[in-house]
Amino acid sequence: MSNDNNRSRRKFIQQTAIAGAGFVLARPLQIFALTNNKTVMSKNIKSRGYAGKDVAGQMVPWNFERRPVGDNDVLIEIKYSGICHSDIHTIKGHWGQQKYPQVAGHEIAGIITAVGKNVTKFKVGDQAGVGCMVNSCMQCDSCKSGEEHHCETGGMVGTYGTPEASSPSGITQGGYSNNIVVTEHFAIKIPKNIELKYAAPLLCAGITTYSPMMKVNFKKGDKIGVIGIGGLGHMAVKLAVFKGAEVYAFTTSPSKIKDIKGFGAKEAIVIKSAEDLKPYKGKLDFMISTVPYAYEMSPYIDCVKKYGYFTQVGQPINGELTINNFNMIFNRVNFNGSLIGGIPETQEVMDYCAENKIYPQIEIINASQINDAWDKVVNKEARYRYVIDASTF
């Protein structure tokens, strides 16, 4: 072979190598995603997390599997998972008999790592979250009107503990884990201008308080009462304040007064007995209660103006609350309950909080601290939302 031919061959090899290296460097995520998709589309997804094994409610490490990524599914690598009082109620059987092992958690924020072939809402690398539900019939009037949480056929499929044929464990498994597979419709887009650790609590604490407050269409300057300043309550205060309301926060924890005023509340009222509520009788336009246990409600309801609204979002053991109807017929207050919010409204609160920098006050913990955090939530020691770093599962 001539020297000219050898030089030409070497030049061709060098150019090809450089071009190939440039392609790999320019598109590493896309190449990885294609390879990854081929794997995850056909096999169950291996997962690790913390699960409750019985009503004792001690969360322990557990390796399990999720369904393969279907044509309409996304796979999310979880980065952060918030702790909600509902997790405790559910795992401990306060709301009914449960199937175990069960992974709790419905405040989930992470990164899309694989998508099904029909997915158009997300691409690999997007920030995404999952809230309190992962499916519904999508055919009834409620589902079609963006209220999937009020599905009229079989009801919504909760993020954990709900029977689900496609789940290898027979029930949905939640966000105290390193990944989750979910139908794209039930995944929420998380804007790039909000950190995932702050986005996670918005998927329950945020939407649960935002939804009923938006439905009463309160005006700037309206007087709004918030009962129970924990994970949900502190978000209710922040949202109402930002919308221009005059907020009155009612708590049984004197240690929270400074924080409550820092959230923007006009007054922080420490309640020791019904007598402490009398100065506020008939003063408020709207009141929302996040208290997750049964309590003496009538003195609080009396704080609302006649024909105003009182909404209970905290869910007590067995869902039972006692209201004195003699009192109700005289105070003329409208009482109602509220669940969470539909997917469109959940996306709305996520976008709203990201745009306006309305962030929950959080404390990041490791997975090994979950049980201790649960005890602190029950003892009203959380300030104000524990968020698990999912890299520690």
Side-chain angles (χ1 to χ4, degrees):
M1 184 179 291
S2 69
N3 288 336
D4 288 342
N5 285 340
N6 282 333
R7 282 194 295 270
S8 296
R9 184 169 179 269
R10 283 196 299 271
K11 186 176 181 180
F12 173 77
I13 291 171
Q14 289 170 347
Q15 289 174 336
T16 303
I18 291 169
F23 178 76
V24 171
L25 289 172
R27 300 186 63 195
L29 289 177
Q30 291 90 330
I31 291 173
F32 172 79
L34 290 173
T35 304
N36 194 39
N37 272 337
K38 289 177 183 179
T39 302
V40 301
M41 295 303 173
S42 59
K43 294 182 179 180
N44 283 348
I45 308 297
K46 293 187 180 302
S47 305
R48 61 184 184 276
Y50 270 57
K53 299 293 183 74
D54 52 43
V55 294
Q58 284 294 304
M59 303 298 284
V60 296
W62 184 48
N63 292 325
F64 63 105
E65 292 187 345
R66 298 190 185 273
R67 71 171 186 261
V69 178
D71 292 345
N72 301 302
D73 291 339
V74 296
L75 172 63
I76 299 174
E77 179 187 347
I78 299 173
K79 298 296 185 181
Y80 294 99
S81 184
I83 289 178
C84 179
H85 208 127
S86 299
D87 303 340
I88 302 169
H89 277 320
T90 302
I91 298 299
K92 292 193 174 186
H94 293 168
W95 293 343
Q97 188 174 355
Q98 298 297 310
K99 182 177 179 179
Y100 303 99
Q102 186 176 153
V103 177
H106 56 208
E107 293 182 342
I108 302 164
I111 304 294
I112 300 286
T113 56
V115 300
K117 68 178 183 180
N118 297 334
V119 171
T120 58
K121 185 176 172 182
F122 297 97
K123 64 182 184 302
V124 171
D126 284 350
Q127 294 193 154
V130 179
C132 302
M133 57 183 165
V134 293
N135 219 333
S136 69
C137 80
M138 297 302 294
Q139 301 298 319
C140 68
D141 289 343
S142 290
C143 287
K144 288 180 179 179
S145 62
E147 291 191 311
E148 300 91 340
H149 55 307
H150 289 299
C151 179
E152 298 157 25
T153 55
M156 73 172 186
V157 176
T159 304
Y160 56 88
T162 303
E164 184 182 55
S166 63
S167 174
S169 63
I171 58 172
T172 53
Q173 301 290 355
Y176 291 11
S177 59
N178 66 319
N179 58 35
I180 190 168
V181 177
V182 64
T183 303
E184 70 163 328
H185 178 83
F186 288 87
I188 302 298
K189 294 180 179 179
I190 298 178
K192 291 182 179 179
N193 62 333
I194 184 170
E195 293 183 62
L196 292 173
K197 62 184 180 181
Y198 294 120
L202 301 179
L203 293 157
C204 175
I207 182 59
T208 302
T209 52
Y210 180 86
S211 180
M213 289 198 296
M214 295 306 101
K215 285 180 172 59
V216 296
N217 294 315
F218 69 85
K219 305 179 298 297
K220 184 176 181 179
D222 279 0
K223 295 177 173 61
I224 291 183
V226 180
I227 312 169
I229 313 303
L232 272 69
H234 93 288
M235 281 306 304
V237 172
K238 287 190 170 195
L239 288 164
V241 166
F242 193 87
K243 287 278 190 179
E246 194 174 281
V247 177
Y248 296 77
F250 298 84
T251 180
T252 57
S253 302
S255 61
K256 294 182 179 180
I257 291 177
K258 184 178 178 180
D259 288 341
I260 291 168
K261 290 183 177 179
F263 300 149
K266 181 178 177 62
E267 288 189 35
I269 304 102
V270 177
I271 304 301
K272 297 177 182 177
S273 72
E275 290 295 314
D276 299 318
L277 291 161
K278 285 186 176 179
Y280 302 92
K281 185 173 182 179
K283 185 174 182 178
L284 307 178
D285 297 287
F286 171 68
M287 203 166 199
I288 182 171
S289 171
T290 68
V291 178
Y293 295 102
Y295 65 104
E296 188 179 359
M297 302 182 69
S298 291
Y300 288 97
I301 298 173
D302 280 348
C303 293
V304 180
K305 295 176 181 178
K306 63 182 180 181
Y307 307 118
Y309 284 84
F310 182 104
T311 298
Q312 178 71 33
V313 296
Q315 185 74 348
I317 295 174
N318 296 323
E320 294 180 358
L321 290 166
T322 300
I323 299 176
N324 186 319
N325 197 54
F326 277 117
N327 201 51
M328 295 298 293
I329 61 179
F330 288 109
N331 64 30
R332 291 163 287 177
V333 174
N334 296 292
F335 174 90
N336 70 332
S338 183
L339 188 55
I340 45 173
I343 294 300
E345 200 170 33
T346 305
Q347 187 66 64
E348 181 181 310
V349 70
M350 179 64 70
D351 295 341
Y352 184 80
C353 288
E355 179 182 356
N356 296 293
K357 297 180 171 56
I358 305 170
Y359 304 142
Q361 184 167 317
I362 63 173
E363 182 178 339
I364 302 296
I365 64 169
N366 293 334
S368 61
Q369 298 173 282
I370 291 173
N371 292 305
D372 181 55
W374 276 23
D375 289 340
K376 289 180 178 178
V377 169
V378 172
N379 293 326
K380 305 178 185 178
E381 297 173 29
R383 298 294 187 274
Y384 282 81
R385 204 56 153 185
Y386 288 113
V387 176
I388 307 162
D389 178 351
S391 69
T392 62
F393 284 117

